[in-house]
Amino acid sequence: MSAMPLPTPLVESRLPNVGTTIFTVMSALATEHGAVNLGQGFPDFDCDPRLVAAVADAMQRGLNQYPPMAGVPALREAVAAKIEALYGHRYDPGSEVTITAGATQAILSAILAVVHPGDEVIVLDPCYDSYEPNIALAGGTAVHVPLVPGTFEPDFPRIAASLTPRTRAMVINSPHNPSATVWSQAQMERLAALLRPTDAVVISDEVYEHMVFDGALHQSVARFPELAARSIVVSSFGKTYHVTGWKVGYAAAPAALSAEFRKVHQFNVFTVNTPMQHGIAAFMADPSHHLELPAFYRAKRDRFRAGLEKTRLRALPCQGTYFQCVDYSAVSDKPEADFCRWLTTEIGVAAIPLSAFYADGFEQRIARFCFGKKDETLALAIERLAAL
Ligand SMILES: Cc1ncc(COP(=O)(O)O)c(C=O)c1O
């Protein structure tokens, strides 16, 4: 006799519009069709073996129990020292730096800490896909302001027009995923002036802070005292040290904001894996890895862009990150998602449609590649793309 299925309660979705992300879809399609996966943003090469050794050493020394809630003190100190050395602002490692489970958890905790039901949060489209659901979970409303099509520069008049008394926060991201643009000092100063009369908190997603090219400087909010005073800076060790799967990052913010951030963090993950924190702290004692990262990725960017010259894809400018956008209008007039699916299954190279980063699915015939890959991976991708 077959048992009657037991009823599972129906829940009303907190995130009814969320499905499987395009990154997961394209990665699965890439695997299924043996495509070179330039879709999802992660390196296909390993990290420095000394970093693995430092983590193994921490494990062997028995550093395997809960660390302090805000993170291992040595790592918080290393973060504070790095920010001070690079951007000239000293965060107190005791009260202003918190180690998180990657940038993703830091952004969620930041949003949950500052956004109340009914609040508005300005996000600049195209943007990373976690911002909008995070805002929805907090009961807030995402106010989408597009970056200027073509240049992807912030559209300050439109941002100004979107500020209301309900604006609680604004999320910014430079170097920018997916457009690979980098905000200038003048743009940061303009943002500071725009927010001066408001109470808006800035959540500054700086996960690509060490991937800025051609001598430009990363304009962290930490460089601008007025912005630093109203900002939660988020970064990711995963991106910087080629260990995206470790999911360790941090949030730095003035003490009052950090205190609220930690209230959420404490009852969200409470703490982040201990040996990784010790290992990263030891590795950071030598800053050469992050100081050499721009040259490392610039060489990959230049190699990939030189290869793209041999194709009918038009490379857009790439000032930072490990993403390269291309205009494919000379090749196809398919909508972006269809083009990327076709590129993956028929040409054997996976890419991400830019429309996936827009709330309204805005179409520009642009696809995003990740060039954070081995040189042979990039060469194989170019060989295939040359056939277009
Ligand atoms: C703009 C941006 N923010 C945040 C993240 C997430 O970083 P993490 O892996 O540390 O959670 C990513 C990863 O792709 C990203 O591109």
Side-chain angles (χ1 to χ4, degrees):
M1 203 175 81
S2 64
M4 287 284 287
L6 294 170
T8 299
L10 282 178
V11 294
E12 190 188 338
S13 178
R14 295 291 311 276
L15 297 169
N17 301 323
V18 167
T20 311
T21 75
I22 185 76
F23 309 101
T24 306
V25 171
M26 295 310 294
S27 284
L29 208 59
T31 307
E32 189 187 329
H33 291 268
V36 183
N37 191 357
L38 303 192
Q40 209 172 354
F42 62 88
D44 67 348
F45 46 85
D46 209 353
C47 66
D48 190 318
R50 286 171 299 180
L51 179 55
V52 175
V55 171
D57 180 58
M59 286 185 185
Q60 275 151 6
R61 284 191 292 133
L63 297 168
N64 296 306
Q65 307 308 328
Y66 294 131
M69 182 269 284
V72 163
L75 185 54
R76 282 187 273 145
E77 173 52 44
V79 167
K82 185 197 77 172
I83 295 176
E84 187 176 18
L86 294 180
Y87 313 129
H89 182 87
R90 175 75 185 170
Y91 287 98
D92 173 16
S95 61
E96 299 188 321
V97 178
T98 307
I99 306 303
T100 62
T104 308
Q105 184 246 326
I107 295 164
L108 174 64
S109 297
I111 288 172
L112 290 176
V114 303
V115 177
H116 291 249
D119 286 347
E120 293 173 359
V121 182
I122 295 179
V123 297
L124 306 178
D125 280 8
C127 68
Y128 187 59
D129 62 349
S130 77
Y131 305 159
E132 162 109 41
N134 288 182
I135 295 162
L137 286 174
T141 304
V143 176
H144 294 270
V145 179
L147 296 168
V148 176
T151 63
F152 297 101
E153 288 182 351
D155 188 338
F156 286 107
R158 280 191 76 166
I159 297 170
S162 304
L163 287 167
T164 76
R166 297 230 53 93
T167 307
R168 185 73 283 241
M170 176 169 171
V171 186
I172 62 169
N173 168 224
S174 173
H176 183 244
N177 174 15
S179 75
T181 51
V182 171
W183 284 33
S184 66
Q185 180 180 340
Q187 287 167 332
M188 297 298 284
E189 284 165 354
R190 203 149 165 209
L191 178 71
L194 198 63
L195 298 182
R196 198 166 293 143
T198 77
D199 280 332
V201 170
V202 175
I203 296 167
S204 187
D205 180 345
E206 303 186 9
V207 299
Y208 300 105
E209 63 179 315
H210 301 297
M211 303 180 201
V212 174
F213 311 128
D214 307 323
L217 288 179
H218 168 56
Q219 299 296 341
S220 173
V221 288
R223 285 186 192 274
F224 304 85
E226 215 183 336
L227 285 173
R230 61 164 75 238
S231 295
I232 302 174
V233 184
V234 170
S235 193
S236 168
F237 298 112
K239 302 288 180 189
T240 302
Y241 299 114
H242 315 314
V243 287
T244 58
W246 288 10
K247 297 299 293 184
V248 190
Y250 63 85
L257 282 176
S258 285
E260 290 307 315
F261 179 93
R262 287 179 180 180
K263 288 182 191 173
V264 175
H265 176 79
Q266 171 161 254
F267 294 113
N268 177 348
V269 289
F270 183 53
T271 54
V272 177
N273 42 71
T274 306
M276 264 70 175
Q277 293 195 52
H278 283 286
I280 294 168
F283 191 71
M284 282 179 79
D286 174 4
S288 55
H289 176 91
H290 68 254
L291 295 178
E292 287 161 13
L293 207 60
F296 174 81
Y297 275 121
R298 192 188 57 223
K300 291 203 179 288
R301 178 201 67 171
D302 291 348
R303 182 181 297 267
F304 188 54
R305 286 175 68 89
L308 285 172
E309 300 264 315
K310 296 180 219 142
T311 76
R312 290 193 298 144
L313 302 170
R314 185 174 65 81
L316 272 48
C318 171
Q319 303 168 320
T321 75
Y322 49 31
F323 299 116
Q324 173 65 58
C325 288
V326 295
D327 177 327
Y328 64 80
S329 52
V331 176
S332 166
D333 58 6
K334 284 185 205 294
E336 292 173 6
D338 292 351
F339 176 77
C340 290
R341 228 171 264 124
W342 173 82
L343 197 69
T344 307
T345 58
E346 304 302 316
I347 305 297
V349 183
I352 301 291
L354 226 67
S355 54
F357 298 86
Y358 284 88
D360 63 0
F362 183 57
E363 287 278 345
Q364 304 165 86
R365 304 289 182 269
I366 295 177
R368 187 202 79 177
F369 293 117
C370 172
F371 59 77
K373 308 288 173 186
K374 290 178 196 150
D375 290 348
E376 55 264 38
T377 310
L378 296 176
L380 180 59
I382 290 297
E383 197 183 301
R384 292 181 179 183
L385 293 173
L388 277 173

